[in-house]
Amino acid sequence: MSPDHRASRTLPQPLDAAAVDRAAHRRTEPHLVSRLRGEATTRTVLVHRGRLAVAHDGGLALLPPGDLSAVPAPDDGERPRWFFLGEATGEGAVSGRAPTSYLALVLPDDADAEDVDIEGVDPAGPLAVLVREHPWSGLRELSPRVDPSQAALATEAVALAAWHAAHERCPRCGEPTTLENAGWTRRCVAQGTELYPRTDPAVIMAVVRDEPEEMLLLGHAAHWPERRFSTLAGYVEPGESLENAVRREVLEEVGVDVDEVAYRGSQPWPFPASLMVGFVARARTTELRPDGVELTDARWFTRAELERDVRSGEVLLPGHGSIARALVEEWFGGALPGA
């Protein structure tokens, strides 16, 4: 793969190709979520235990106001939590004329057990009903089979839900925090400090070599199922550039020196709060020394070897919704079989 080809385009990522405007300027509007949940063109994404409600057609469930009329209003507290995700017009809207506003409703983890009396009789509380009447899917499984707008909404909702769950108390003093700005900030009740959602950058890289022929390096992480191989990845450390993070992670994990590092694209990965920044890295050395801690195996593959091993089941690649899969298939030059 030539440098010109690598720089010609960014990788298309289904979690990042949205036609939805986040409309950040609206987040400070008083009672925004309360007003929007009563508008006919508003649609709501449901999140429960990090999973998403799925419609009967297999897509992301986008509920109209009437389906949620019995759910407590957002001004009544944080059970359940409501967030403003953004708005859309044109192709991303429910109606061709009026803009569609999108909300997220995050149900408490125990919503499916809520309102159960001491005899175990379920009186069909509204939150419990919502959990029971929808099929649920993780973002990894859902994103490859929905359109870009739905994938983006789902990713945004899951990321915000995870951040709020982890920041119910102030990281400085330990006192409770409250939700503000339609779900986009929290505030410490003791100090008044405003907290913002954070993203953890991580690098993910297709390490390649040219001699004796073009080859791709894939590794097997210690905690993965048998035969699972993927590109190398790791978190960026404080005070470290993305490029040097690529070089450090490759050297630490497999003992390979890397020189040229070229950016290819990025992907939000809210598990719980990562941003995967993708690169192609050119190896200067080829001997592989897996660290035995994070990686238990690493192999160089030619294109013919990779295709053979994937088709036979000897190698299992990451899912189609991941930037890791996109990096592998870009180097390969086309789609590979298997999920």
Side-chain angles (χ1 to χ4, degrees):
M1 183 185 299
S2 69
D4 288 343
H5 176 71
R6 286 200 307 272
S8 63
R9 61 179 177 85
T10 55
L11 297 175
Q13 287 305 313
L15 301 187
D16 194 32
V20 177
D21 179 3
R22 295 195 174 196
H25 63 282
R26 300 199 61 190
R27 296 171 186 170
T28 56
E29 293 180 17
H31 310 293
L32 173 64
V33 174
S34 293
R35 288 187 288 105
L36 292 179
R37 71 191 293 261
E39 295 184 0
T41 56
T42 295
R43 294 295 181 268
T44 298
V45 177
L46 295 183
V47 182
H48 181 235
R49 296 180 181 172
R51 296 169 67 81
L52 297 139
V54 177
H56 295 299
D57 63 1
L60 179 67
L62 297 170
L63 277 64
D67 290 3
L68 302 170
S69 57
V71 176
D75 294 336
D76 293 341
E78 295 201 27
R79 285 179 61 87
R81 290 183 175 135
W82 292 83
F83 312 138
F84 173 62
L85 299 179
E87 57 190 24
T89 57
E91 293 183 3
V94 174
S95 167
R97 295 184 297 275
T100 298
S101 297
Y102 291 103
L103 303 177
L105 173 59
V106 183
L107 304 174
D109 286 355
D110 60 355
D112 48 354
E114 199 163 280
D115 297 329
V116 176
D117 66 20
I118 58 174
E119 298 179 357
V121 178
D122 187 350
L127 304 186
V129 169
L130 284 175
V131 174
R132 289 198 307 271
E133 69 182 6
H134 289 94
W136 298 83
S137 176
L139 181 61
R140 287 182 177 91
E141 297 77 29
L142 180 67
S143 60
R145 66 175 191 257
V146 298
D147 65 48
S149 293
Q150 290 190 8
L153 288 167
T155 305
E156 185 181 355
V158 168
L160 271 178
W163 179 75
H164 281 276
H167 288 81
E168 293 180 348
R169 291 191 172 272
C170 176
R172 296 182 180 179
C173 69
E175 290 297 313
T177 61
T178 57
L179 184 153
E180 293 185 352
N181 292 327
W184 286 92
T185 61
R186 299 188 71 88
R187 189 175 298 276
C188 173
V189 300
Q191 302 179 77
T193 305
E194 198 170 27
L195 307 175
Y196 293 87
R198 310 302 289 262
T199 296
D200 301 323
V203 291
I204 183 166
M205 40 280 181
V207 181
V208 300
R209 55 184 279 195
D210 293 330
E211 300 295 337
E213 58 182 311
E214 290 188 355
M215 304 183 85
L216 173 70
L217 173 61
L218 298 178
H220 173 80
H223 62 282
W224 286 350
E226 187 179 356
R227 296 177 287 133
R228 171 75 67 193
F229 279 81
S230 184
T231 53
L232 306 189
Y235 284 106
V236 181
E237 294 186 344
E240 184 177 45
S241 68
L242 297 171
E243 293 82 0
N244 280 338
V246 170
R247 297 183 179 100
R248 175 184 55 78
E249 285 287 347
V250 175
L251 185 62
E252 288 177 355
E253 292 188 356
V254 293
V256 170
D257 284 324
V258 164
D259 50 17
E260 179 190 354
V261 175
Y263 173 73
R264 295 302 304 121
S266 65
Q267 179 183 52
W269 199 244
F271 304 106
S274 295
L275 174 66
M276 306 302 296
V277 187
F279 295 89
V280 171
R282 192 159 298 279
R284 189 162 46 195
T285 61
T286 59
E287 181 184 357
L288 300 178
R289 299 189 303 275
D291 62 9
V293 178
E294 294 190 41
L295 290 186
T296 56
D297 193 7
R299 304 180 195 174
W300 290 107
F301 292 88
T302 65
R303 290 180 176 83
E305 289 168 344
L306 181 61
E307 182 175 22
R308 178 199 65 201
D309 289 350
V310 169
R311 290 190 180 280
S312 70
E314 177 66 23
V315 167
L316 305 177
L317 293 178
H320 288 284
S322 68
I323 191 172
R325 180 66 171 241
L327 286 167
V328 170
E329 292 187 339
E330 184 188 44
W331 173 82
F332 180 74
L336 284 160

